[in-house]
Amino acid sequence: EQAEAVALLAEAAEKDINQENRLAAIQELEQLGPAASTAAPILERLTQDPRASIRDAAQAALKKVKG
């Protein structure tokens, strides 16, 4: 169940049309910490996003996810 939630959040973080939804998904992944480790590759990609807010949120989330 948690793995499914992580997968859905990761997909929203990467593909949602709404930037606020993307940020919210990234922040949720950050809150999950190491439990969201399967989302690390997507968070890594998001650190190259054209939007600074997405890049910054992804970097913060990666720190928590990777422990």
Side-chain angles (χ1 to χ4, degrees):
E1 186 173 285
Q2 187 169 350
E4 185 178 336
V6 169
L8 291 171
L9 287 168
E11 183 176 350
E14 189 170 41
K15 298 179 181 176
D16 198 285
I17 295 169
N18 184 303
Q19 183 173 341
E20 293 301 317
N21 290 347
R22 293 179 70 202
L23 284 171
I26 293 167
Q27 290 166 349
E28 287 297 320
L29 290 168
E30 180 179 3
Q31 292 297 316
L32 289 171
S37 62
T38 56
I42 288 173
L43 292 170
E44 292 276 2
R45 284 196 298 276
L46 292 177
T47 64
Q48 305 301 314
D49 195 88
R51 294 171 190 86
S53 59
I54 298 288
R55 288 193 309 268
D56 293 346
Q59 288 169 349
L62 266 174
K63 288 179 185 175
K64 295 282 178 99
V65 167
K66 288 187 172 183

